Each structure stands twice: as C-alpha cells, then as structure tokens.
Coordinates of all heavy atoms in Angstrom, one line a residue:
H1 N 9.2 102.2 86.9 CA 8.1 101.3 86.7 C 7.9 100.9 85.3 O 7.6 99.7 84.9 CB 6.9 101.9 87.3 CG 5.6 101.1 87.1 ND1 5.4 99.9 87.9 CD2 4.5 101.2 86.3 CE1 4.2 99.4 87.5 NE2 3.7 100.1 86.6
F2 N 8.0 101.9 84.4 CA 7.8 101.6 82.9 C 8.8 100.6 82.4 O 8.4 99.6 81.7 CB 7.9 102.9 82.2 CG 7.9 102.8 80.7 CD1 6.7 102.8 80.0 CD2 9.1 102.7 79.9 CE1 6.7 102.6 78.6 CE2 9.1 102.6 78.5 CZ 7.8 102.5 77.9
V3 N 10.1 100.8 82.7 CA 11.1 99.9 82.2 C 11.0 98.5 82.8 O 11.1 97.5 82.1 CB 12.5 100.4 82.5 CG1 13.6 99.5 82.1 CG2 12.7 101.8 81.8
R4 N 10.7 98.4 84.1 CA 10.5 97.1 84.8 C 9.4 96.3 84.1 O 9.5 95.1 83.8 CB 10.2 97.3 86.3 CG 11.4 97.6 87.1 CD 11.0 97.9 88.6 NE 12.0 98.4 89.4 CZ 12.9 97.6 90.1 NH1 12.8 96.3 90.0 NH2 13.8 98.2 90.8
T5 N 8.3 97.0 84.0 CA 7.1 96.3 83.4 C 7.3 95.8 82.0 O 7.0 94.7 81.6 CB 5.9 97.3 83.4 OG1 5.7 97.7 84.8 CG2 4.6 96.6 82.9
L6 N 7.9 96.7 81.2 CA 8.2 96.4 79.8 C 9.1 95.2 79.7 O 8.9 94.2 79.0 CB 8.8 97.6 79.1 CG 9.2 97.3 77.6 CD1 8.0 97.0 76.8 CD2 9.9 98.6 77.0
V7 N 10.2 95.2 80.5 CA 11.2 94.1 80.5 C 10.6 92.8 80.9 O 10.8 91.8 80.3 CB 12.4 94.5 81.3 CG1 13.3 93.3 81.5 CG2 13.2 95.6 80.6
A8 N 9.8 92.9 82.0 CA 9.2 91.7 82.6 C 8.3 91.0 81.5 O 8.3 89.8 81.3 CB 8.4 92.0 83.8
D9 N 7.5 91.9 80.9 CA 6.5 91.3 79.9 C 7.2 90.7 78.7 O 6.9 89.6 78.2 CB 5.6 92.5 79.4 CG 4.6 92.9 80.5 OD1 4.5 92.2 81.5 OD2 4.0 94.0 80.3
V10 N 8.3 91.4 78.2 CA 9.0 90.9 77.0 C 9.8 89.7 77.3 O 9.7 88.7 76.6 CB 9.9 92.0 76.5 CG1 10.8 91.4 75.3 CG2 9.1 93.2 75.9
L11 N 10.4 89.6 78.5 CA 11.2 88.5 78.9 C 10.3 87.2 79.1 O 10.7 86.1 78.7 CB 12.0 88.7 80.2 CG 13.2 89.5 80.1 CD1 13.9 89.7 81.5 CD2 14.2 88.9 79.1
E12 N 9.1 87.4 79.7 CA 8.2 86.3 79.9 C 7.8 85.7 78.5 O 7.8 84.5 78.4 CB 7.0 86.8 80.6 CG 6.0 85.7 80.9 CD 4.7 86.2 81.7 OE1 4.6 87.4 81.9 OE2 3.9 85.3 82.0
Q13 N 7.6 86.6 77.6 CA 7.2 86.1 76.2 C 8.4 85.4 75.6 O 8.2 84.3 75.0 CB 6.7 87.3 75.4 CG 6.2 86.8 74.0 CD 4.9 85.9 74.1 OE1 4.1 86.1 75.0 NE2 4.9 84.9 73.3
R14 N 9.6 86.0 75.7 CA 10.8 85.4 75.0 C 11.1 84.0 75.6 O 11.6 83.2 74.9 CB 12.0 86.4 75.2 CG 11.8 87.7 74.6 CD 11.8 87.7 73.0 NE 11.5 88.9 72.5 CZ 12.4 89.9 72.3 NH1 13.6 89.7 72.5 NH2 12.0 91.0 71.7
R15 N 11.0 83.9 76.9 CA 11.3 82.6 77.6 C 10.3 81.5 77.2 O 10.7 80.3 77.2 CB 11.4 82.8 79.1 CG 12.6 83.6 79.5 CD 12.5 84.1 81.0 NE 13.7 84.7 81.4 CZ 13.7 85.6 82.4 NH1 12.6 85.9 83.0 NH2 14.8 86.2 82.8
K16 N 9.1 81.9 76.8 CA 8.1 80.9 76.4 C 8.4 80.5 74.9 O 8.4 79.3 74.6 CB 6.7 81.5 76.5 CG 6.3 81.7 77.9 CD 4.8 82.3 78.0 CE 4.3 82.4 79.4 NZ 3.0 83.0 79.4
D17 N 8.5 81.5 74.0 CA 8.7 81.1 72.6 C 10.2 80.9 72.3 O 11.0 81.4 73.0 CB 8.0 82.1 71.7 CG 8.6 83.5 71.8 OD1 9.8 83.6 71.8 OD2 7.8 84.5 71.8
K18 N 10.4 80.3 71.2 CA 11.8 80.0 70.8 C 12.2 80.8 69.5 O 13.1 80.5 68.9 CB 12.0 78.5 70.6 CG 11.7 77.7 71.8 CD 12.6 78.0 73.0 CE 12.2 77.1 74.2 NZ 13.0 77.4 75.4
I19 N 11.4 81.8 69.2 CA 11.6 82.6 68.0 C 12.7 83.6 68.2 O 12.6 84.4 69.1 CB 10.3 83.3 67.5 CG1 9.2 82.3 67.4 CG2 10.5 84.1 66.2 CD1 7.8 82.9 67.1
P20 N 13.8 83.5 67.5 CA 14.9 84.5 67.7 C 14.5 85.9 67.2 O 13.8 86.1 66.3 CB 16.0 83.9 66.8 CG 15.3 83.1 65.8 CD 14.1 82.5 66.4
R21 N 15.0 86.9 68.0 CA 14.7 88.3 67.7 C 16.0 89.0 67.5 O 17.1 88.5 68.0 CB 13.9 88.9 68.8 CG 12.6 88.2 69.2 CD 11.6 88.1 68.1 NE 10.5 87.3 68.5 CZ 9.4 87.9 69.1 NH1 9.3 89.1 69.4 NH2 8.4 87.1 69.4
N22 N 16.0 90.2 66.9 CA 17.2 90.9 66.6 C 17.3 92.1 67.6 O 17.3 93.3 67.1 CB 17.2 91.4 65.1 CG 17.2 90.3 64.1 OD1 17.7 89.2 64.4 ND2 16.6 90.5 63.0
D23 N 17.3 91.9 68.9 CA 17.3 93.0 69.8 C 18.1 92.7 71.0 O 18.6 91.5 71.2 CB 15.9 93.5 70.2 CG 15.1 92.3 70.7 OD1 15.5 91.6 71.6 OD2 13.9 92.2 70.2
F24 N 18.3 93.7 71.9 CA 19.2 93.5 73.1 C 18.6 92.6 74.1 O 19.4 91.8 74.7 CB 19.3 94.9 73.7 CG 20.2 95.0 74.9 CD1 21.6 95.0 74.8 CD2 19.6 95.0 76.2 CE1 22.4 95.0 75.9 CE2 20.5 95.1 77.3 CZ 21.8 95.1 77.2
L25 N 17.3 92.6 74.3 CA 16.7 91.7 75.3 C 16.8 90.2 74.8 O 17.0 89.3 75.7 CB 15.2 92.0 75.5 CG 14.9 93.2 76.4 CD1 13.5 93.3 76.7 CD2 15.8 93.2 77.7
Q26 N 16.8 90.0 73.5 CA 17.1 88.6 73.1 C 18.5 88.1 73.5 O 18.7 87.0 73.8 CB 16.9 88.6 71.5 CG 17.1 87.2 70.9 CD 16.0 86.2 71.4 OE1 14.9 86.6 71.6 NE2 16.3 84.9 71.6
L27 N 19.4 89.1 73.4 CA 20.8 88.7 73.9 C 20.8 88.3 75.3 O 21.5 87.4 75.7 CB 21.7 89.9 73.7 CG 23.1 89.8 74.3 CD1 23.9 88.8 73.6 CD2 23.8 91.1 74.3
M28 N 20.0 89.0 76.2 CA 19.9 88.7 77.6 C 19.4 87.3 77.8 O 19.9 86.5 78.6 CB 19.0 89.7 78.3 CG 19.6 91.1 78.4 SD 21.0 91.2 79.6 CE 22.4 91.4 78.4
V29 N 18.4 86.9 77.0 CA 17.9 85.6 77.0 C 18.9 84.5 76.6 O 19.1 83.5 77.3 CB 16.6 85.4 76.1 CG1 16.1 84.0 76.1 CG2 15.5 86.3 76.6
E30 N 19.7 84.9 75.6 CA 20.7 83.9 75.1 C 21.8 83.8 76.1 O 22.4 82.7 76.3 CB 21.3 84.5 73.8 CG 20.3 84.4 72.6 CD 20.8 85.0 71.4 OE1 22.0 85.4 71.4 OE2 20.1 85.2 70.4
L31 N 22.2 84.9 76.8 CA 23.2 84.9 77.8 C 22.8 84.0 79.0 O 23.6 83.3 79.6 CB 23.6 86.3 78.3 CG 24.5 87.1 77.4 CD1 24.6 88.5 77.8 CD2 25.9 86.4 77.3
E32 N 21.5 84.1 79.4 CA 20.9 83.3 80.4 C 21.2 81.8 80.1 O 21.7 81.1 81.0 CB 19.4 83.5 80.6 CG 19.0 84.7 81.3 CD 17.5 84.8 81.5 OE1 16.8 84.2 80.7 OE2 17.1 85.4 82.5
R33 N 20.9 81.4 78.9 CA 21.0 80.0 78.5 C 22.5 79.6 78.5 O 22.8 78.5 78.9 CB 20.4 79.8 77.1 CG 18.8 80.0 77.1 CD 18.3 80.1 75.7 NE 16.9 80.3 75.7 CZ 16.2 80.8 74.6 NH1 16.8 81.0 73.5 NH2 14.9 81.0 74.7
A34 N 23.3 80.5 78.0 CA 24.8 80.2 77.9 C 25.4 80.1 79.3 O 26.3 79.3 79.5 CB 25.5 81.3 77.1

C-alpha cells in the first residue's frame, strides 16, 4: 500500500508538470512518452 500510494501521488504530479527530475520515476515518465 505504501509503495502504490507513493508512486501514484508522484506520477500524478510528474504527468502534470514538465519539470525534469533526477530520479527513477522520472525515467518511467520519459519511457511512457517515448
């Protein structure tokens, strides 16, 4: 539950803003787009 909630919250924020981050979840967002 902890991991799901954290990932869902961070991904929702990342998909909204376009500010690049230096972390693994940012890579997932970039792979989605690619």
